[in-house]
Amino acid sequence: MPPSFVFTEVPVIRGMAGKTVSASRYSESPDRATGQSQTPDGFALAAATLRADRPRNPRLKRIAAGLRGRDIARAEDALREYLLRHSDDAEGMFLMAQTEARRGRPRKAVSLLDGCLERAPTFPLARFTLAKLLVRLHRYSAALGEVERLLASDPRNPLFRQLRASILGAVGEDDESLAIWQGLAEEFPGRAELWIRCGDGLRALGRQPESLAAYRRAIACRPSYGLAWWSLANMKTVHFDEADIHFMRAQLDGAGPDAEDRANLRFALAKAYEDHEDYGKAFEQYAKGNAARRLQMDFDWDEMAAELSLQKALFTPEFLESRRGAGCTARDPIFVLGRPRAGSTLVEQILSSHSAVEGTAELPYIADLAFGFVERGSVGGNSGYPGILAAIDPIELAAMGEGYIGRAAIHRKLGRPHFIDKAPANYHHVGLIALILPNAKIVDARRNPAACCFSMFKHNYVETNLRQNELGRVWRDYAELMAHFDRVLPGRIHRVIYEKLISDPRDEIRRLLDFLELPFEESCLSFHQTKRTVRTPSSEQVRRPLSAEAVDHWRHFEPWLKPLLNSLGSALERYPDVPEELR
């Protein structure tokens, strides 16, 4: 029986627009007679209330309607003309900020919203929009401040509480974040997505049975909810039974799931078949799920190849020597990078078990710097990334490194001298890291390329799923780029080979700690006993002792992997060495 939403009055408070409004609390309970909702959904009502507040100006209302219609260009022209005459109009600035954000210019949008709120500080929709954009820009402290201001006037607003929970989770305040998600789920038990967020929070904290129950609760709310099924599959330790397989097949055969649900269901069903050692059926579903995801991607092979060439051309021994002494001198960061599914979470867990090292998260700040260079345009005749780095003043390089350390501070909770940034894609930015943080340590986690690439192929990454041959080519490019930096930055990068770590953990961990200039600690060998938040797909594996079961698991699927194996070529044949043509 579907839930209904019951409106309950609580004491009045002063609204942001200076009006007295009801602080409303929504709880869900089924209507015994009809099973139907008797009041609006609390989230929908909160959104409608925000939208209804502004704009008030009749002309801007017409422009806003145009921006939501088909002739957006004409509406934007009308908005620009309006702002030429009314440059201080807060509502006009808000609409222009929305336009800039929609066009992929969030920094300009934030600047406009700052101006808007200077003129109209009691404009909740503008402040809420600003908070969301600040999250998008990974400016978490500022975003949290804006949300706190919103909640001060409307403490029960589910949209504001949800955003606060997301921000707290992003900065490692996991217990507080989970408490908010659980509170929302209890108030709105019919919203499947809230149970997913509870499940994710519980899983990150290692509370697996409770996490599983939350995901199952999401499925009870919406049986065709593909994300709930994939969340279960992604726990790795969950093994689906025949009833689960039959149920997922029935959902896929029905009309209920949309395209997103179908893609998620296919990955989950593939994992179920894999659990039952039906590798042919498993591969069929992985291939269909991966193909659906690939259609959502804008992957430009030529652009990636061009970036590889630019990196090799710019970062020469002579260029790096000319920047010696520049950058921030901090020794705090340890960058663990490489291709996804190569063991970086395992390396992070081992190092986080050392008394001098704190694991934080896959921090976005190095990528933010690189993207900022793209937005910046040209400096001294150099443009784009990484070319623009040739024209950056050494003083600015130091400021960038200091800015990175400052932004990472919100994620550091334990006061340890070193912290880990475990964003795998930072391998694209080794040269930038070397310029702005010359004393930072860099660890490259590497795994058999067939195992690594196939693990990516069967993983539901949503925005980075590639075809088999593309995965192989990207792996070769990664190996070539890292070989280049091995040559121009000798001794700066330590490579952890997954298979060696599995077969000889004590010696490999000693070598790793020696590189980091840290003493050996036995706790690094018993890493699976370390209590910490782990948000990656490997969260269950790193809470168990080392095992060799995953080393050759990919071979069960070898009959269907010819495109991948052919595209890897010599990189697979020569592994763990790098073939001569990539050096």
Side-chain angles (χ1 to χ4, degrees):
M1 183 178 294
S4 65
F5 300 85
V6 181
F7 177 90
T8 305
E9 285 288 322
V10 294
V12 298
I13 60 172
R14 182 66 52 181
M16 291 195 71
K19 300 174 290 185
T20 300
V21 297
S22 292
S24 304
R25 183 176 187 272
Y26 295 84
S27 60
E28 291 185 348
S29 61
D31 183 280
R32 290 193 177 96
T34 67
Q36 301 300 311
S37 172
Q38 300 300 303
T39 59
D41 173 280
F43 283 80
L45 183 57
T49 302
L50 279 175
R51 289 195 300 270
D53 187 59
R54 301 287 179 99
R56 298 167 183 165
N57 182 304
R59 185 176 177 189
L60 286 176
K61 281 186 177 181
R62 292 193 295 272
I63 292 174
L67 292 171
R68 295 190 295 270
R70 293 183 177 180
D71 196 352
I72 295 174
R74 185 176 180 180
E76 288 181 357
D77 289 341
L79 178 57
R80 291 188 185 93
E81 180 183 346
Y82 179 88
L83 283 171
L84 284 174
R85 299 173 181 271
H86 308 280
S87 59
D88 283 345
D89 186 284
E91 292 182 345
M93 296 174 78
F94 170 69
L95 290 179
M96 184 55 73
Q98 288 185 310
T99 298
E100 294 289 356
R102 187 172 56 247
R103 292 195 175 279
R105 296 188 284 259
R107 288 173 177 80
K108 289 186 178 180
V110 165
S111 179
L112 285 162
L113 288 169
D114 283 338
C116 166
L117 288 166
E118 284 179 11
R119 293 158 179 80
T122 57
F123 189 169
L125 181 55
R127 195 171 299 282
F128 184 56
T129 304
L130 173 60
K132 291 191 293 182
L133 281 171
L134 289 169
V135 172
R136 181 173 162 187
L137 293 170
H138 308 121
R139 293 170 55 184
Y140 298 119
S141 294
L144 194 57
E146 299 298 341
V147 174
E148 298 291 2
R149 290 189 66 174
L150 290 166
L151 285 167
S153 293
D154 192 357
R156 302 306 303 170
N157 188 304
L159 294 173
F160 302 163
R161 291 155 64 198
Q162 178 176 256
L163 184 55
R164 183 169 184 265
S166 296
I167 298 169
L168 290 171
V171 300
E173 298 294 342
D174 302 289
D175 290 323
E176 191 175 356
S177 174
L178 176 59
I180 297 172
W181 289 121
Q182 289 176 320
L184 286 167
E186 288 167 4
E187 289 179 38
F188 304 94
R191 294 185 72 93
E193 64 272 19
L194 294 176
W195 292 109
I196 293 289
R197 298 304 295 263
C198 288
D200 291 347
L202 290 161
R203 180 189 178 197
L205 291 168
R207 294 161 61 178
Q208 293 179 27
E210 294 169 87
S211 176
L212 188 153
Y215 292 143
R216 289 286 184 184
R217 185 73 180 267
I219 292 169
C221 292
R222 196 196 314 169
S224 63
Y225 193 15
L227 180 59
W229 286 102
W230 167 244
S231 296
L232 279 176
N234 198 26
M235 287 185 74
K236 306 298 188 293
T237 53
V238 172
H239 289 265
F240 292 113
D241 58 23
E242 292 289 351
D244 288 324
I245 292 175
H246 178 77
F247 195 91
M248 283 188 276
R249 284 249 49 127
Q251 296 303 311
L252 281 169
D253 292 340
D258 59 17
E260 177 67 15
D261 285 328
R262 287 182 181 279
N264 283 315
L265 278 164
R266 290 199 184 282
F267 279 103
L269 184 59
K271 168 62 165 54
Y273 283 133
E274 187 175 352
D275 288 344
H276 288 258
E277 300 183 0
D278 193 337
Y279 299 112
K281 287 184 178 179
F283 182 81
E284 178 186 9
Q285 294 301 324
Y286 281 133
K288 289 179 177 179
N290 202 78
R293 289 298 186 211
R294 181 64 181 84
L295 292 174
Q296 299 173 305
M297 284 184 60
D298 182 19
F299 177 72
D300 189 333
W301 173 260
D302 292 334
E303 183 178 325
M304 288 195 67
E307 182 188 318
L308 171 63
S309 297
L310 288 171
Q311 294 251 15
K312 293 175 69 174
L314 175 64
F315 294 110
T316 63
E318 294 76 21
F319 174 74
L320 293 166
E321 180 62 28
S322 72
R323 299 313 192 262
R324 182 186 291 274
C328 170
T329 59
R331 297 179 176 272
D332 307 34
I334 300 170
F335 291 93
V336 178
L337 44 78
R339 293 297 287 155
R341 311 300 299 154
S344 58
T345 302
L346 175 58
V347 173
E348 177 193 39
Q349 182 76 358
I350 289 169
L351 292 178
S352 298
S353 303
H354 194 284
S355 61
V357 182
E358 178 178 4
T360 55
E362 296 184 2
L363 303 182
Y365 306 123
I366 293 295
D368 284 352
L369 280 171
F371 181 72
F373 288 126
V374 175
E375 286 190 320
R376 194 163 170 174
S378 177
V379 176
N382 296 275
S383 61
Y385 179 77
I388 199 172
L389 289 170
I392 299 298
D393 187 275
I395 295 175
E396 189 174 350
L397 295 176
M400 289 176 185
E402 290 163 3
Y404 168 85
I405 296 296
R407 296 184 74 184
I410 194 172
H411 303 272
R412 303 176 69 178
K413 314 295 181 182
L414 304 179
R416 295 179 180 178
H418 300 285
F419 70 94
I420 299 169
D421 180 340
K422 197 204 74 67
N426 277 340
Y427 80 82
H428 290 284
H429 311 301
V430 168
L432 173 61
I433 292 169
L435 291 179
I436 68 171
L437 292 159
N439 294 320
K441 300 292 188 179
I442 302 173
V443 178
D444 176 20
R446 187 164 297 186
R447 181 184 178 191
N448 177 293
C452 180
C453 291
F454 179 63
S455 186
M456 284 186 278
F457 181 83
K458 71 176 190 174
H459 202 83
N460 188 10
Y461 280 119
V462 180
E463 295 179 350
T464 58
N465 288 77
L466 297 174
R467 300 182 182 96
Q468 287 192 52
N469 64 320
E470 292 169 336
L471 285 165
R473 293 177 69 181
V474 172
W475 203 95
R476 286 177 64 89
D477 279 357
Y478 145 74
E480 182 177 350
L481 183 60
M482 295 306 295
H484 172 76
F485 282 113
D486 285 340
R487 185 169 60 253
V488 300
L489 293 170
R492 285 293 311 277
I493 302 166
H494 178 81
R495 189 151 293 112
V496 175
I497 302 298
Y498 176 78
E499 294 79 13
K500 291 182 179 179
L501 180 60
I502 296 296
S503 63
D504 189 4
R506 181 176 290 273
D507 187 54
E508 290 301 308
I509 291 171
R510 281 189 182 278
R511 289 180 62 248
L512 174 59
L513 293 175
D514 286 346
F515 169 75
L516 298 175
E517 302 177 85
L518 295 173
F520 179 82
E521 292 182 358
E522 287 289 336
S523 57
C524 293
L525 279 171
S526 54
F527 61 86
H528 55 283
Q529 297 174 359
T530 300
K531 303 296 183 183
R532 58 180 289 268
T533 302
V534 183
R535 301 179 183 85
T536 71
S538 301
S539 60
E540 283 73 48
Q541 290 99 313
V542 299
R543 292 189 171 108
R544 294 181 292 171
L546 286 175
S547 167
E549 63 181 328
V551 171
D552 287 322
H553 185 75
W554 68 274
R555 293 192 180 278
H556 292 298
F557 295 88
E558 192 169 359
W560 301 279
L561 299 183
K562 187 175 181 179
L564 170 62
L565 303 181
N566 287 344
S567 62
L568 286 169
S570 58
L572 176 60
E573 296 164 6
R574 295 280 296 155
Y575 179 80
D577 294 331
V578 177
E580 189 64 35
E581 70 269 21
L582 298 183
R583 295 181 188 176

